[in-house]
Amino acid sequence: MNMGIKAAIKAGALALAIGMTAPAPAQLLGGGGLGNTLGGVTGGLTGGLLGTPAGPNGSVIGRLDAPLSAIGNTVNSLAPADLLSARRQRLRTLARDNRTALDVDDQGNPIRRDEIIGINLAPDALAKAKAAGFTITRTEPIDNIGLTATILAPPRGKPARKAIEALRGIDPAGDYTLDHVYEPARAPLTPMQGPAAGGGATGGGGGAPIGLIDGGVGKHPAFANAAIEQRGFAGNPHPSGHGTAVASLLVGNVGAFRGAAPGSPLLVADVYGGAAGNGSAVAITRALAWLAQKGARVINISLVGPPNPLLAAGVKAVLARGIAVVAAVGNDGPAAPPQYPASYPGVVAVTGVDAKGHALIEAGKPLHLDFAAPGADMAGALPGGGWEALRGTSFAAPLVAGRLARAGSLAALAAEA
């Protein structure tokens, strides 16, 4: 949006220069109901989260005196090189701990083991692949956005990252990719036990539903009056700490706690099913198609990973329908490679700032940047009740998505900021 590095916060008369670590300026989203009306944003870095403990009736947000931990854990004194090193180690650990399901590509990004995606393949291409020893394991028609993903297994003993070159050799006109796995932009996923929120349809009042692609959302008093519909794209929906926190910042409403768009219907696409080895490009693209079909006008994706042709095609298709996609830029620092889907053209890329308007040191460096929003000194809901201190660009993105849903357009949102 290139609104200029200085942006006025309408909650006060102060113009802030934000030290962004991104290649393009971003508009600071503040005022207009964002500040203290959202998720317990505080007035200072050490002030704790305001209020008294919420009771069974969900009176107000509880005070949390513990340090930023669990969902929001980030050592913000790390240098960019340290953050990059931590990223590499985290990805290696993810692949190792899920070795039956995951492998890595040549850049060390986690991929689904023994899976190659063919996009909209012609019948003769499939015949050539079979003749070369590839097995068609399944076909995923991605309804509503004109895509079909054919999943091929490589010949026995040949890893997908090597076998894909053979496919491209026998079918140069074909479109093939590995099935990359995407992480929450504030790891860990934190699977939780307990019932899922909602369960009913989101039709009725409240306007167009907001879409959320993440882990599942758990039951919480903040969602007592929210219309939430969930669907699983990696098994049944399974509550997660990350998905529940993000959902609360979108539509939560209990006592003094308010999300950015309280009262809006929420469609949740769980692409993990409680397992960190899920969250694949196929699952996310199928989720995009479902949300488009269900009428979402804004979709929040607080997930990050490498570029992927299938995901790119899915994002492009929903953007062409006038659906806004809002994505977090990630928390691996400016030395990490640009993360996707935030770096795709047309996606609303969001970074995080602290209570003083300073960019989070761990914020990533996307190919473009549109908005900055609070990404620290907040609280979010935990499955089953209770609250968690939050930090990371994962939690800035839903503040922008919710405000965008309320504003109705990017132009109107920019005018509010």
Side-chain angles (χ1 to χ4, degrees):
M1 304 190 80
N2 202 13
M3 299 294 180
I5 201 72
K6 292 186 178 181
I9 304 178
K10 291 187 177 179
L14 179 64
L16 294 178
I18 312 171
M20 304 306 303
T21 58
Q27 182 134 354
L28 179 62
L29 189 66
L34 187 57
N36 287 329
T37 66
L38 280 172
V41 179
T42 70
L45 292 174
T46 59
L49 301 176
L50 303 180
T52 56
N57 63 348
S59 54
V60 295
I61 187 170
R63 181 181 178 87
L64 297 177
D65 295 314
L68 294 171
S69 60
I71 295 174
N73 181 38
T74 299
V75 181
N76 60 8
S77 61
L78 288 177
D82 296 325
L83 287 165
L84 181 59
S85 177
R87 173 183 182 271
R88 291 169 177 155
Q89 181 58 48
R90 187 182 71 250
L91 296 181
R92 283 194 295 266
T93 300
L94 176 63
R96 184 192 65 226
D97 291 349
N98 298 273
R99 61 174 58 90
T100 60
L102 300 184
D103 198 352
V104 294
D105 67 10
D106 289 335
Q107 288 73 47
N109 298 302
I111 57 174
R112 295 291 296 176
R113 181 176 289 278
D114 296 331
E115 292 189 5
I116 298 172
I117 306 169
I119 305 171
N120 293 348
L121 295 181
D124 64 326
L126 296 176
K128 290 177 183 178
K130 287 192 223 179
F134 290 84
T135 303
I136 299 173
T137 60
R138 69 185 189 277
T139 299
E140 300 272 9
I142 304 175
D143 298 330
N144 309 310
I145 56 175
L147 294 172
T148 297
T150 302
I151 314 303
L152 303 108
R156 188 176 181 85
K158 196 164 188 178
R161 66 180 177 275
K162 303 296 183 185
I164 194 171
E165 295 307 322
L167 272 177
R168 290 167 174 160
I170 63 176
D171 181 26
D175 195 356
Y176 299 95
T177 182
L178 301 171
D179 196 1
H180 290 101
V181 167
Y182 292 75
E183 300 180 284
R186 176 57 261 151
L189 178 65
T190 323
M192 299 283 185
Q193 299 300 318
T202 57
I210 299 172
L212 173 60
I213 300 178
D214 210 294
V217 175
K219 190 173 182 180
H220 190 279
F223 305 129
N225 298 310
I228 298 177
E229 181 179 354
Q230 304 200 53
R231 178 172 172 179
F233 292 87
N236 293 327
H238 190 100
S240 72
H242 190 272
T244 303
V246 172
S248 71
L249 293 173
L250 281 168
V251 302
N253 190 5
V254 58
F257 184 99
R258 289 182 61 208
S264 294
L266 182 66
L267 296 164
V268 179
D270 179 359
V271 295
Y272 293 100
N278 293 325
S280 69
V282 170
I284 296 171
T285 306
R286 290 178 59 220
L288 283 167
W290 176 68
L291 293 171
Q293 186 269 328
K294 294 289 288 186
R297 304 308 302 163
V298 177
I299 298 173
N300 186 89
I301 311 180
S302 290
L303 312 177
V304 294
N308 180 279
L310 180 66
L311 179 59
V315 168
K316 184 177 180 180
V318 298
L319 291 176
R321 294 183 172 210
I323 300 169
V325 177
V326 179
V329 304
N331 302 288
D332 295 319
Q339 296 294 286
Y340 294 81
S343 287
Y344 285 128
V347 173
V348 179
V350 181
T351 193
V353 295
D354 62 24
K356 295 182 178 179
H358 300 148
L360 302 184
I361 192 171
E362 67 269 27
K365 184 178 181 181
L367 295 182
H368 67 277
L369 189 57
D370 298 301
F371 284 99
D377 308 291
M378 299 188 296
L382 281 172
W387 306 93
E388 178 60 85
L390 304 178
R391 183 183 174 100
T393 62
S394 268
F395 309 116
L399 304 186
V400 174
R403 283 282 295 279
L404 176 55
R406 286 170 50 193
S409 70
L410 283 171
L413 180 60
E416 289 182 6

